[in-house]
């Protein structure tokens, strides 16, 4: 398996403790999740109907402020797995460093994959991939700059998995343009990654292909029920975005007290430059707080945002030692 956050089992093997003893800040998943509430027995026992899937897609269009066609997926990762099948293999260029599944999935499907460092270097690719805002460094690109790139590539994929709290960055409203495909993650900002729900937004031809490859029941009945409820809860989304902005400032201040410098981030995680990221990770892990480090960047430490006040207090205590 490629390097990812969320590898809490490895933390337990090295430092002990039960999973429930740990505060897992190694991912960009909201630790104050959407309140699921009651889920009907039918959602667990019956196959989802076409009408129920359509209701979920309409809820996604509402949340993402688009009228473009939408396909439901088992997380954004499910859409990434299908990307190589949308067109014959060719030249893929990925704006890097970024989420490492893209290069791996495309290379395994015999695409010629190149990682590049600037938007202009994507031009000429049959498939160009940009994560916006980026994981792990939070790099951002304005919609007008991405649209200017669209006619210069065969297909442009924008991964907006961390865009929920920064809707001004989103191209979802433009997703029906030929050659443009937008991926969205539900589980991160709603804090329900275990539900495995995500969406692809694009033109009718691409979305039709993805939906066909995903099969008649691409997501579970429980995911549909919870997704419909959450995606239409505008008040929760607005309050969560405001809280995350405050919490980012709070975490940045705590990191600054350690002498760490802010490299970048999103409303769901922060990336800091440290003298020795692995030493910092181990300091936190000895008190069962897990973080993310990067083999290629030994000074980078990524932290998600704590959730409860008890989690914030525990992190502050560890950092104060």
């Amino acid at each position: 398996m490629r390097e990812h956050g969320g590898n809490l089992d490895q933390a337990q093997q090295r430092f002990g403790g039960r999973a429930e003893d740990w505060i897992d800040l190694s991912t960009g998943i909201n630790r104050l999740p959407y309140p699921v509430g009651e889920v009907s027995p039918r959602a667990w026992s019956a196959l989802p109907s076409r009408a129920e899937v359509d209701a979920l897609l309409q809820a996604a269009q509402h949340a993402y402020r688009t009228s473009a066609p939408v396909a439901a997926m088992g997380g954004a990762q499910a859409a990434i797995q299908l990307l190589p099948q949308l067109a014959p293999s060719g030249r893929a260029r990925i704006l890097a460093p970024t989420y490492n599944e893209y290069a791996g999935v495309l290379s395994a499907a015999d695409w010629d994959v190149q990682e590049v460092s600037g938007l202009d270097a994507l031009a000429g690719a049959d498939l160009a991939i940009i994560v916006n805002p980026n994981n792990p460094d939070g790099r951002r690109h304005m919609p007008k700059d991405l649209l200017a790139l669209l006619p210069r590539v065969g297909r442009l994929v924008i991964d907006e998995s961390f865009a929920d709290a920064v809707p001004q960055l989103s191209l979802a409203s433009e997703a029906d343009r030929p050659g443009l495909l937008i991926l969205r993650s539900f589980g991160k900002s709603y804090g329900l990654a275990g539900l495995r729900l995500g969406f692809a937004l694009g033109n009718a031809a691409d979305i039709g292909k993805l939906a066909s490859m995903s099969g008649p029941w691409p997501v579970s009945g429980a995911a549909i029920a919870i997704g419909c409820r959450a995606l239409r809860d505008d008040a929760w989304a607005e309050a969560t975005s405001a809280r995350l902005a405050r919490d980012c400032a709070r975490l940045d201040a705590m990191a600054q007290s350690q002498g760490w410098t802010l490299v970048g981030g999103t409303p769901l995680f922060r990336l800091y430059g440290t003298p020795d990221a692995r030493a910092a990770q181990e300091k936190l892990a000895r008190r069962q707080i897990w973080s993310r480090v990067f083999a290629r960047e030994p000074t980078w430490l990524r932290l998600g945002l704590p959730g409860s006040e008890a989690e914030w207090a525990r992190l502050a205590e560890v950092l104060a030692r």
Side-chain angles (χ1 to χ4, degrees):
M1 178 179 286
R2 285 176 278 274
E3 180 186 73
H4 293 295
N7 54 342
L8 194 59
D9 54 343
Q10 296 179 25
Q12 290 176 258
Q13 289 172 9
R14 290 176 59 192
F15 300 98
R18 303 167 301 168
E20 55 267 32
D21 297 328
W22 284 81
I23 302 173
D24 187 1
L25 304 183
S26 69
T27 74
I29 298 168
N30 183 0
R31 289 190 63 80
L32 291 179
Y34 184 80
V36 169
E38 292 291 327
V39 178
S40 72
R42 186 186 183 284
W44 299 107
S45 62
L47 288 171
S49 69
R50 182 68 253 176
E52 289 167 334
V53 174
D54 287 344
L56 175 64
L57 302 183
Q58 291 165 13
Q61 288 176 318
H62 169 83
Y64 303 141
R65 306 172 192 178
T66 186
S67 59
V70 181
M73 302 275 169
Q77 182 64 45
I80 295 172
Q81 299 296 140
L82 296 177
L83 274 182
Q85 302 177 49
L86 277 179
S89 58
R91 293 170 297 175
R93 292 178 184 162
I94 303 170
L95 194 62
T98 195
Y99 184 56
N100 60 25
E101 286 292 327
Y102 283 102
V105 166
L106 289 164
S107 294
D110 294 325
W111 281 73
D112 177 14
V113 178
Q114 181 184 8
E115 295 187 340
V116 301
S117 58
L119 286 181
D120 286 342
L122 295 167
D126 300 303
L127 175 63
I129 295 170
I130 301 169
V131 179
N132 190 43
N134 190 42
N135 173 17
D137 61 8
R139 179 165 46 162
R140 301 181 178 196
H141 302 278
M142 296 310 296
K144 63 181 180 61
D145 297 324
L146 300 179
L147 288 176
L149 178 65
L150 182 57
R152 304 169 67 194
V153 300
R155 178 178 280 105
L156 178 61
V157 175
I158 309 295
D159 184 331
E160 296 184 350
S161 290
F162 290 99
D164 283 19
V166 281
Q168 68 274 17
L169 294 182
S170 178
L171 276 176
S173 64
E174 307 287 341
D176 57 357
R177 294 193 182 212
L180 181 62
L181 185 68
I182 308 295
L183 305 185
R184 299 293 293 240
S185 168
F186 174 84
K188 293 180 176 64
S189 64
Y190 288 89
L192 298 171
L195 202 63
R196 306 312 305 136
L197 178 61
F199 300 93
L201 295 68
N203 63 75
D206 282 350
I207 295 305
K209 287 180 183 179
L210 288 170
S212 177
M213 288 187 286
S214 297
W217 303 289
V219 295
S220 70
I224 291 172
I226 296 167
C228 282
R229 188 180 306 160
L231 289 164
R232 290 193 177 277
D233 194 338
D234 297 338
W236 184 90
E238 291 170 8
T240 296
S241 293
R243 175 185 61 80
L244 290 172
R246 294 191 301 269
D247 285 352
C248 283
R250 184 178 182 180
L251 187 57
D252 289 347
M254 294 171 68
Q256 186 177 20
S257 72
Q258 298 297 301
W260 301 346
T261 58
L262 180 66
V263 175
T266 75
L268 285 168
F269 65 79
R270 315 303 281 167
L271 182 67
Y272 300 113
T274 73
D276 184 337
R278 289 201 178 275
Q281 183 187 52
E282 290 191 10
K283 173 182 177 179
L284 294 167
R286 284 193 290 271
R287 292 297 305 278
Q288 296 177 322
I289 298 174
W290 195 228
S291 56
R292 175 87 187 271
V293 295
F294 301 85
R296 292 186 180 182
E297 297 288 347
T299 65
W300 280 6
L301 180 78
R302 200 186 76 176
L303 287 175
L305 306 181
S308 67
E309 281 302 314
E311 291 185 354
W312 282 100
R314 188 159 137 199
L315 178 60
E317 179 188 358
V318 174
L319 292 179
R321 286 171 175 257

